Amino acid sequence: MTRRKLVAGNWKMNGTLAQLSELDAIAVAAKANPAVDVAICPPFTLIAPAAGKGIAIGAQDCHANAKGAHTGDVSAAMLKEAGATLVIVGHSERRIDHGEDDATVRAKAEAVIAADLIAIVCVGETEAERDAGRAEAVVETQLAGSVPPHTTAAQLVVAYEPVWAIGTGRTPTVADVAAMHAAIRVKLRALLGAEADGVRILYGGSVKPSNAAELMAVPDVDGALVGGASLTAADFVPIIEAA
């Protein structure tokens, strides 16, 4: 099955209104590469002003509930109203910093899908888990616990992020990436049946202009979830072009 490449930028807790000027050049690159879907996930405060810039805008998290007494949280419906079309859930920094487990991630993904948004569900192993030979088993367990059943390919993107490679400059070998993405595809087939072949699997470990083309050529790498390199058009555009 042919899957459109998706390059999504995760700005994390970075960015101001002034930095939205970077989106102008990113939008030009997106238009020049129509076979690639491009998205930026800025902080909540920038979603509304970023919407309408010519690329998809996403959020970095949401609450599992539609409303309620949850100070400081934002619902999927609120994000949609602000202009978001997709939401990252289960990023390793949420799992680690906020203690989110698979059940929490699944509940958030279900809320995203119920709001008619696309859920980018993140999975990935720590360095200790990889060194112990448990990398694939850990990721498969996360998928089983985090991906809502009966999800369609149009509703779901999976992002594999080796936790030990995020922001460290370290990158797994191409063989490592290929093996993990193949294992993820197999597990998705077990969970979702035929829909799994349409689910895009992004790679999300220190993607930058210098390694993007090599990573994008790996089977079952359907794009990238990009961190620091998505903050400027100068770094992000070459990754779009590589896709």
Side-chain angles (χ1 to χ4, degrees):
M1 176 178 291
T2 300
R3 294 176 293 271
R4 286 177 59 84
K5 288 281 201 276
L6 168 62
V7 178
N10 176 13
W11 280 14
K12 305 187 180 182
M13 199 172 70
N14 298 289
T16 62
L17 282 171
Q19 196 164 343
L20 290 182
S21 61
E22 296 289 336
L23 299 187
D24 295 334
I26 292 172
V28 170
K31 186 175 181 179
N33 294 274
V36 180
D37 292 333
V38 179
I40 289 289
C41 301
F44 292 140
T45 54
L46 297 181
I47 291 174
K53 287 278 191 176
I55 57 175
I57 299 299
Q60 300 171 22
D61 186 45
C62 74
H63 197 280
N65 290 353
K67 60 181 179 179
H70 306 291
T71 300
D73 284 311
V74 179
S75 74
M78 292 171 180
L79 296 172
K80 183 177 181 179
E81 186 175 63
T85 57
L86 46 87
V87 183
I88 299 169
V89 295
H91 191 280
S92 61
E93 291 156 3
R94 297 291 310 180
R95 290 178 184 262
I96 295 169
D97 294 350
H98 298 272
E100 295 186 0
D101 59 13
D102 294 338
T104 299
V105 175
R106 177 184 284 192
K108 290 185 174 187
E110 289 171 342
V112 170
I113 292 167
D116 198 26
L117 301 172
I118 298 169
I120 301 180
V121 175
C122 299
V123 295
E125 82 283 4
T126 64
E127 187 171 25
E129 289 165 340
R130 173 162 285 276
D131 290 345
R134 299 180 52 238
E136 289 187 10
V138 167
V139 169
E140 289 167 357
T141 297
Q142 289 176 336
L143 286 168
S146 302
V147 173
H150 312 301
T151 304
T152 69
Q155 298 168 324
L156 175 69
V157 173
V158 170
Y160 166 59
E161 39 163 21
V163 178
W164 48 274
I166 298 173
T168 65
R170 297 180 59 194
T171 306
T173 66
V174 169
D176 289 337
V177 175
M180 183 61 80
H181 278 240
I184 290 171
R185 183 73 63 197
V186 169
K187 185 63 177 180
L188 286 174
R189 287 175 182 144
L191 295 171
L192 303 176
E195 284 293 323
D197 285 338
V199 175
R200 291 179 285 190
I201 305 173
L202 310 184
Y203 176 72
S206 293
V207 180
K208 46 190 181 290
S210 60
N211 63 14
E214 184 179 41
L215 290 167
M216 296 290 183
V218 175
D220 280 311
V221 172
D222 304 311
L225 181 60
V226 184
S230 69
L231 292 171
T232 65
D235 286 334
F236 196 54
V237 168
I239 298 172
I240 296 170
E241 293 171 346

